[in-house]
Amino acid sequence: QQGALVKQAFDFQKSFFFFVKASNSIAEGKSINAAFIAPLKDKDKFVELLKSSGQGLDISQGIGFSFAIKEKATFGWNNDIAITIPSNGGYTDTLGQKAILESLFNLKESESIADNKSFTKSFTTKADISYYTNSSQSFTAVSVLALTKASDLVKDTYSAGTINFDDGDVNLKITSYPNPTLLDLLKKNPAEKLSGNTLENYPGKPQAIADISINFKQLVNILDYMGVDQMINPFLQKQGLTLDDVAAAFKGEIAVAASNFRMEQKQSPYFNTMTSSPKANYLLCIPIADKKAYDKIIAAIYSADNTAFINQNGQIVPTVLIQSGLGFLANDKYLLIGSSPSLVDSFATAKGKISLPDDADKNLKGKTSYFYGDLQSLLSMVPASGSDSATIVLSRNTFKDFS
């Protein structure tokens, strides 16, 4: 019955919208507002749908709309649309929710995001799902960064994208639009294209990959513009270092591969029971550009706190890696951290060869970032039991991988 009411109540020929708005101010603090907006075909059927949940429905009137408050959400509607506002942890502020609904139902276009050209432009392409994110509030939410010029870098900066469910594929397209100030800083030191060869010595087929190209000089310029370098440089100078030393040491790529995801069982040290925890083989690879610059950084860190590092076979190794049984190596080519010393050794001596699906191998090259995940093998780790078993089995049978 509810399925039939859904079809009768909503107009599926029109677009559905969901928005989240975060704000931060000294006077009002942090706040997050969210709402789901659905086009209606029959408001009476929508009311009938709300009543079909089995709970009572107390309908009140606002200016130009009706609304009802339930335990998990507040619902408002008129002849054309229905707006759903989630409750805050089960607690519902009746006056506050009503005020939000009144502001939304009576919002003028000139006061809404529909008056923002970047927003309307991003929705001109036909797609199954379109989305838009505005980064202007992201840095001001962090109190320390709010005191810097970080907000200038994200002002009027936004990203837009589409998601399409095609035959056998889910295609996601993202386009970022930095403001002129940030764009100028990015253009001065652009990130290099990925060669696709950094992880070629990883043994076997990875179940997950992340490969990101980062120009560290670009980061230095951004930190300099924000004024954050004034906070960092005094500390570095005490160690005889600068941000330029850090940028010179590395090529500007961070690559991670992981495989053999599994659940390992072991005896609990406190009870006569077995416990299970997720495990995986993994390797972090950061190509080194200037080994002398890298050695200078490590020597300065070791000099500042030699308790956090161990001099092992001529290499300065973080103590925590040794204690955790992880592998570590820094040679003229790479800084390597792996789940085991044998995996690091296999990679460094080129004993292994990576095996990737054809489309993943093709898509990896020539990009500035790349991500891959073998969803089928990862989902096979999740036990199909309990109330979610049907959903887990369906997910296994639906998704193959993403890249």
Side-chain angles (χ1 to χ4, degrees), residues 243-269:
L243 283 171
D244 290 331
D245 291 328
V246 179
F250 303 102
K251 287 186 176 180
E253 183 178 357
I254 300 174
V256 182
S259 58
N260 193 23
F261 283 88
R262 60 199 182 276
M263 298 297 292
E264 284 192 353
Q265 292 200 352
K266 60 180 181 180
Q267 180 71 42
S268 170

Side-chain angles (χ1 to χ4, degrees), residues 318-396:
T319 305
V320 65
L321 298 184
I322 302 298
Q323 294 174 342
S324 302
L326 302 181
F328 178 90
L329 176 68
N331 57 23
D332 292 338
K333 293 183 178 180
Y334 312 107
L335 165 63
L336 302 173
I337 299 175
S339 55
S340 67
S342 60
L343 178 57
V344 169
D345 178 71
S346 174
F347 185 93
T349 56
K351 293 178 182 177
K353 181 72 175 177
I354 197 168
S355 174
L356 288 174
D358 292 338
D359 56 343
D361 186 45
K362 177 182 65 177
N363 293 333
L364 176 58
K365 298 176 182 178
K367 306 291 194 303
T368 54
S369 63
Y370 176 79
F371 302 91
Y372 166 80
D374 183 346
L375 294 178
Q376 276 197 332
S377 63
L378 294 175
L379 288 170
S380 67
M381 289 179 52
V382 182
S385 59
S387 58
D388 296 328
S389 59
T391 302
I392 293 169
V393 171
L394 179 62
S395 299
R396 289 177 185 170

Side-chain angles (χ1 to χ4, degrees), residues 61-134:
Q61 299 299 316
I63 302 175
F65 67 96
S66 303
F67 70 98
I69 296 176
K70 289 197 168 188
E71 181 181 354
K72 295 184 178 180
T74 298
F75 302 90
W77 64 93
N78 58 18
N79 291 330
D80 302 314
I81 62 171
I83 299 177
T84 302
I85 303 173
S87 63
N88 184 12
Y91 169 75
T92 302
D93 176 6
T94 303
L95 293 178
Q97 300 291 73
K98 180 182 178 182
I100 293 173
L101 286 173
E102 285 185 345
S103 67
L104 293 175
F105 276 107
N106 297 285
L107 192 66
K108 297 178 181 178
E109 183 172 322
S110 60
E111 300 170 340
S112 75
I113 197 171
D115 195 48
N116 186 318
K117 291 182 180 180
S118 67
F119 172 80
T120 54
K121 178 183 175 182
S122 65
F123 281 81
T124 56
T125 302
K126 187 176 181 180
D128 294 325
I129 298 176
S130 298
Y131 68 91
Y132 169 93
T133 60
N134 187 323

Side-chain angles (χ1 to χ4, degrees), residues 50-51 53-59 68-70:
L50 293 179
K51 292 179 178 179
S53 65
Q55 300 176 356
L57 192 68
D58 184 12
I59 299 177
I69 296 176
K70 289 197 168 188

Side-chain angles (χ1 to χ4, degrees), residues 202-268:
Y202 188 87
K205 181 184 177 182
Q207 293 169 286
I209 287 176
D211 198 350
I212 305 171
S213 177
I214 301 173
N215 191 323
F216 288 106
K217 292 181 180 178
Q218 198 177 80
L219 293 179
V220 171
N221 287 340
I222 291 174
L223 292 174
D224 179 60
Y225 179 87
M226 291 167 53
V228 177
D229 61 325
Q230 301 299 320
M231 307 176 194
I232 301 174
N233 275 329
F235 170 77
L236 292 177
Q237 287 169 0
K238 288 182 180 179
Q239 318 306 324
L241 299 172
T242 67
L243 283 171
D244 290 331
D245 291 328
V246 179
F250 303 102
K251 287 186 176 180
E253 183 178 357
I254 300 174
V256 182
S259 58
N260 193 23
F261 283 88
R262 60 199 182 276
M263 298 297 292
E264 284 192 353
Q265 292 200 352
K266 60 180 181 180
Q267 180 71 42
S268 170

